[in-house]
Amino acid sequence: MLDFIYYPVSWILWFWHRVFAAIPGLGKDSGLAWSLGVVFLVFTLRIVLYKPFVKQVRTTKQMQELQPQIKELQKKYKNDRQKMALEMQKLQKEHGFNPLMGCLPILAQVPVFLGLFHVLRSFNRTGHGFGQLGMSPEENANTANYVFSAADVQSFLSARIFGAPISAFITTPTAELQAFADYGGIPSRLSIALVAIPLMVIAGLATHFNARASVNRQSEEAAANPQAALMNKLALWVFPLGVLVGGPFLPIAILLYWVANNIWTYGQQHLVFGRMEKEEKAKKQAKLEQRAQHAPKPGAKPISTKKKSTAVDAKTADSALADDESVDAEPSTNGTSKSANRGSGQRRPGGQKRPGSRGRANQKRRR
């Protein structure tokens, strides 16, 4: 049903195993070659998810910056949830904020984790539990596993890391351990525990320190939020404890996956946050330089913008007056100027002249 996940995961694991098996001194049946294949499967996934991870970090930071506005909306529309939801969406659109980007990297890793777990479990299908086929050790060793041939299955069963098969886990049923009998011998639970327990502790500590690094970068307002405080406690203590509790039920290869994923996350966080801090410093420096360019030089009097505007208005008025005078001085069609026509007065319909000073007298009276 989930072959669209199982086949890509098995292809990537097959590729990296072939790469490391070609190194002199390792070989196809080397447990180190198989372990490095799992580790670089993680690195391949994280490289693909690098840009979504950067967007996730920026989204988280933007969400922290919008917390004061979000709180105001919650107080303003506390009795109208529908209106509050609409205003929240409007706020997110204005700032280009997409909450789904904060969950994308985690959601993308879940199917890969499940796919790797299934592919690794399918190297040993002698069990009768969930997802197992109840094969005999002979049938299991001669049956292909997705892109892995029967020879690859036998190579995986023969691979050991510090004496423990990487597909075994501490609570592996005795019947399933029989699958390793003809390929390196049946491993003891002690040998499996000596490899699995240190990996469980390292994975738990790495999970804790990754969460602590994220919490330390949160603003005070974001950390004071009850929901954020609850999530911080879960990430700091519950999730690392979950690795220790669930570790005995996980194959050694899955624990390797967990350790490699946390190590990559720790390094990637420092890289991304370091770049973001440099970007912020560069923006602040650019703003300061821009202010310094517009600021008056030492000893120079500041130029008043009001004086500039009045001077411009005076010039505009003078030019308009000059245009009016030039228009008045234009000659008319009968050889006399327009100004002369205005001074000589106008004729009445009966042929009598209207005195030219009448309008001026009326103007004086009005004044």
Side-chain angles (χ1 to χ4, degrees), residues 25-37:
L26 292 182
K28 187 178 179 181
D29 298 338
S30 172
L32 183 58
W34 281 102
S35 300
L36 289 173

Side-chain angles (χ1 to χ4, degrees), residues 116-277:
L116 180 61
F117 181 81
H118 178 76
V119 170
L120 293 175
R121 285 293 304 273
S122 297
F123 279 106
N124 185 359
R125 292 149 289 188
T126 58
H128 296 276
F130 179 76
Q132 294 292 295
L133 300 177
M135 294 182 178
S136 65
E138 292 78 14
E139 288 176 340
N140 178 66
N142 292 287
T143 304
N145 179 21
Y146 294 100
V147 302
F148 294 100
S149 63
D152 293 329
V153 173
Q154 296 170 16
S155 173
F156 189 85
L157 294 174
S158 301
R160 298 287 190 275
I161 178 170
F162 300 109
I166 63 173
S167 64
F169 47 98
I170 297 176
T171 58
T172 305
T174 305
E176 293 185 28
L177 291 176
Q178 298 297 322
F180 302 100
D182 296 333
Y183 304 96
I186 300 175
S188 64
R189 295 189 185 277
L190 179 61
S191 64
I192 298 172
L194 289 175
V195 178
I197 290 175
L199 289 175
M200 290 161 50
V201 174
I202 294 171
L205 290 174
T207 304
H208 172 78
F209 283 113
N210 277 333
R212 184 171 292 278
S214 298
V215 170
N216 291 336
R217 292 187 178 96
Q218 290 180 355
S219 62
E220 294 181 359
E221 294 180 352
N225 189 359
Q227 295 179 353
L230 177 61
M231 289 302 299
N232 290 339
K233 289 180 180 179
L234 291 174
L236 284 170
W237 306 110
V238 177
F239 294 162
L241 185 62
V243 178
L244 296 176
V245 173
F249 303 94
L250 297 176
I252 291 175
I254 291 293
L255 295 175
L256 284 170
Y257 173 93
W258 201 288
V259 171
N261 188 52
N262 279 280
I263 291 173
W264 180 279
T265 301
Y266 191 80
Q268 187 171 261
Q269 279 184 349
H270 283 276
L271 176 65
V272 172
F273 280 105
R275 287 183 177 179
M276 290 178 64
E277 289 176 0

Side-chain angles (χ1 to χ4, degrees), residues 50-60 98 101-102 104-105:
Y50 177 76
K51 287 187 177 180
F53 176 81
V54 174
K55 290 184 179 180
Q56 175 195 10
V57 173
R58 295 185 184 278
T59 300
T60 304
N98 188 359
M101 292 307 302
L104 181 60

Side-chain angles (χ1 to χ4, degrees), residues 73-74 76-91:
L73 291 177
Q74 289 175 348
K76 187 176 180 180
Y77 302 105
K78 60 181 180 180
N79 297 325
D80 190 352
R81 293 186 176 274
Q82 186 176 1
K83 182 67 175 176
M84 183 173 65
L86 292 174
E87 291 296 325
M88 292 281 284
Q89 291 178 0
K90 184 179 178 181
L91 180 67

